[in-house]
Amino acid sequence: MTPFLDLKKINARYRSELLEACTKVIDSGWYVHGSEHEEFENEFAQYCGAKYTIGVANGLDALILILRAYKEMGIMDDGDEVIVPSNTYIASILAISQNSLVPVLVEPDINTYLLDWTKIEEKITSKTKAIMPVHLYGQTCEMDNINKIAKKYNLKVIEDSAQSHGAYFKDKRCGNLGDASGFSFYPGKNLGALGDGGAVTTNDKNLANTIKALGNYGSQKKYKNLYKGTNSRLDEIQASMLRVKLRYLDNEIENRREIANYYLKNIKNENIILPQLKHENNHVWHLFVIRTTKRDELQKYLLSNEIQTLIHYPLAPHKQEAYKEWKNESYPISEQIHDEVLSLPISGVQKIENTKKIVEIINAY
Ligand SMILES: *Cc1c(COP(=O)(O)O)cnc(C)c1O
């Protein structure tokens, strides 16, 4: 069986370095907010080209804390609106709802699956305060056009970079393409911890300080509480694992690009639509997503040939029970995407020989 993603194999590559890093933390006697956390924050900020990184407990918290900080800073208020793509993973939308803000869904481009910037302006109202572009599947959004609209209407741009560590737009990496960016280090992400983890990057010092305090009970100075904060921390062991894996991230992205290029060049099946990209550097291939009207059939066929695939995602956010207020709304492009997409195996350790076998089976379908 070719698994969709073999995390054991990915982490086994770095086993001795991970063990060494973990041992160092165990022996240090310091397990939360110590030197590993601080070093990781510095290294990740440098990697993204952003001034500040704030380690937090997970990707959802990263997005929640950015919005929460803007509320504390007086930039957003209950009931304000945030524009978000209608086909994103639910976490982007939850981060908005959890702050008593209103998610306003905008359809994606059917070719790239990314927020369609040409449809943003018609959704802007006097309550709109931010746009949240999601670099879905690992490809950066049309950031020049999005930032231009944001500037015109005085909106914040909050990147959801949970799937796109290392992806470029022109000469800048995600994490440095808007006002703030949320990252996830969930084990299956391109930069994955061995548990949960997340981070915010930004160039805004005031925002960085506010988020840092909010994730630490609302406190900047011990026992002095500026805000009604929460506890959201990236622990020392996860930070130490991430420092090891960050060193190999670009290598893994290279491997993903090789696999993606092989798929793009060699999958020849008229039932299948391959992903489109604007520039090779813009895509880090967190997922290799194809589209076909015979999706469920193809998935079964591949499984019967020992190839595991997944669907990202099977049900559009506006069709979820959690958002029953959107039950009667229609987002036809999203619905089509949710009905037709299928994610093929891809990772930083997948071999071309294996990919070749997968392609042969797909082409024979
Ligand atoms: C994974 C993911 C998140 C949430 O990250 P967690 O670390 O799982 O909380 C948010 N947005 C997108 C697009 C994601 O893929």
Side-chain angles (χ1 to χ4, degrees):
M1 173 68 88
T2 302
F4 177 73
L5 182 66
D6 191 343
L7 283 176
K8 187 168 147 184
K9 202 163 159 186
I10 289 169
N11 289 320
R13 271 181 153 187
Y14 315 123
R15 192 170 195 276
S16 62
E17 281 176 82
L18 292 171
L19 273 174
E20 199 181 311
C22 189
T23 306
K24 200 172 129 200
V25 174
I26 293 170
D27 293 346
S28 76
W30 195 284
Y31 307 115
V32 165
H33 278 183
S35 60
E36 292 294 325
H37 180 256
E38 195 180 323
E39 285 301 314
F40 174 71
E41 286 186 336
N42 293 336
E43 289 162 5
F44 194 67
Q46 195 170 16
Y47 181 83
C48 297
K51 279 198 190 129
Y52 309 101
T53 292
I54 306 100
V56 297
N58 55 65
L60 176 59
D61 274 6
L63 297 171
I64 288 176
L65 288 168
I66 293 168
L67 292 165
R68 176 76 198 279
Y70 280 133
K71 288 180 78 182
E72 294 293 349
M73 291 160 73
I75 291 168
M76 293 180 194
D77 216 337
D78 286 4
D80 282 341
E81 296 171 1
V82 179
I83 286 173
V84 64
S86 53
N87 63 322
T88 185
Y89 179 56
I90 197 79
S92 328
I93 298 172
L94 291 174
I96 301 167
S97 306
Q98 291 207 4
N99 274 294
S100 306
L101 299 164
V102 180
V104 173
L105 305 180
V106 170
E107 288 256 72
D109 179 318
I110 187 65
N111 295 309
T112 60
Y113 315 125
L114 301 173
L115 180 61
D116 185 346
W117 65 272
T118 65
K119 294 184 181 142
I120 293 176
E121 270 189 288
E122 65 201 54
K123 295 281 187 111
I124 292 176
T125 72
S126 59
K127 290 204 159 261
T128 311
K129 291 293 161 64
I131 306 171
M132 187 185 285
V134 180
H135 308 309
L136 200 68
Y137 306 152
Q139 179 164 220
T140 46
C141 298
E142 289 284 321
M143 293 308 292
D144 279 352
N145 293 316
I146 292 169
N147 282 322
K148 218 178 278 170
I149 295 169
K151 201 167 169 197
K152 183 171 164 191
Y153 294 92
N154 194 25
L155 311 176
K156 295 293 179 192
V157 174
I158 301 159
E159 299 173 76
D160 181 340
S161 303
Q163 303 190 356
S164 59
H165 323 69
Y168 279 91
F169 183 81
K170 297 195 170 159
D171 58 348
K172 285 185 187 171
R173 276 188 157 137
C174 74
N176 185 26
L177 299 173
D179 293 289
S181 178
F183 287 88
S184 165
F185 307 122
Y186 181 75
K189 299 288 159 88
N190 281 20
L191 177 59
L194 278 75
D196 271 317
V200 174
T201 60
T202 181
N203 292 316
D204 179 341
K205 190 174 182 183
N206 190 12
L207 181 72
N209 285 337
T210 310
I211 290 171
K212 208 167 174 173
L214 282 170
N216 187 36
Y217 310 111
S219 168
Q220 274 165 346
K221 249 201 196 133
K222 210 167 188 184
Y223 306 126
K224 279 244 172 169
N225 298 84
L226 275 171
Y227 315 107
K228 299 182 188 86
T230 182
N231 172 1
S232 184
R233 301 187 285 227
L234 179 65
D235 66 72
E236 284 290 280
I237 287 189
Q238 294 310 333
S240 78
M241 304 286 100
L242 288 166
R243 287 186 70 201
V244 170
K245 293 188 72 182
L246 180 59
R247 296 201 283 273
Y248 298 99
L249 178 57
D250 284 342
N251 271 333
E252 290 206 12
I253 291 172
E254 254 340 285
N255 194 74
R256 286 174 183 274
R257 289 206 173 114
E258 269 175 47
I259 301 302
N261 284 330
Y262 190 89
Y263 278 142
L264 287 171
K265 242 168 108 181
N266 296 290
I267 294 178
K268 293 200 164 68
N269 186 317
E270 58 187 28
N271 293 310
I272 290 172
I273 297 167
L274 293 169
Q276 288 186 18
L277 67 160
K278 285 267 154 74
H279 191 284
E280 179 159 77
N281 289 341
N282 291 21
H283 211 321
V284 291
W285 301 104
H286 173 57
L287 297 168
F288 190 92
V289 178
I290 60 171
R291 223 170 80 227
T292 170
T293 50
K294 304 187 170 83
R295 191 261 314 276
D296 295 345
E297 224 177 275
L298 178 62
Q299 187 175 39
K300 265 188 218 133
Y301 163 82
L302 291 174
L303 195 60
S304 70
N305 282 282
E306 308 266 287
I307 299 164
Q308 189 193 16
T309 57
L310 293 179
I311 296 167
H312 298 93
Y313 299 88
L315 194 61
H318 70 281
K319 297 278 189 186
Q320 299 286 356
E321 185 66 28
Y323 285 99
K324 37 184 171 309
E325 61 269 36
W326 289 336
K327 195 168 61 198
N328 298 320
E329 291 189 24
S330 159
Y331 297 92
I333 298 171
S334 271
E335 284 160 31
Q336 184 188 349
I337 289 170
H338 287 83
D339 286 344
E340 297 185 354
V341 290
L342 188 67
S343 307
L344 302 182
I346 191 165
S347 77
V349 297
Q350 191 168 318
K351 297 272 196 304
I352 288 287
E353 304 90 81
N354 199 237
T355 311
K356 198 171 162 191
K357 255 202 299 202
I358 297 171
V359 168
E360 280 164 12
I361 291 165
I362 290 174
N363 287 348
Y365 173 64

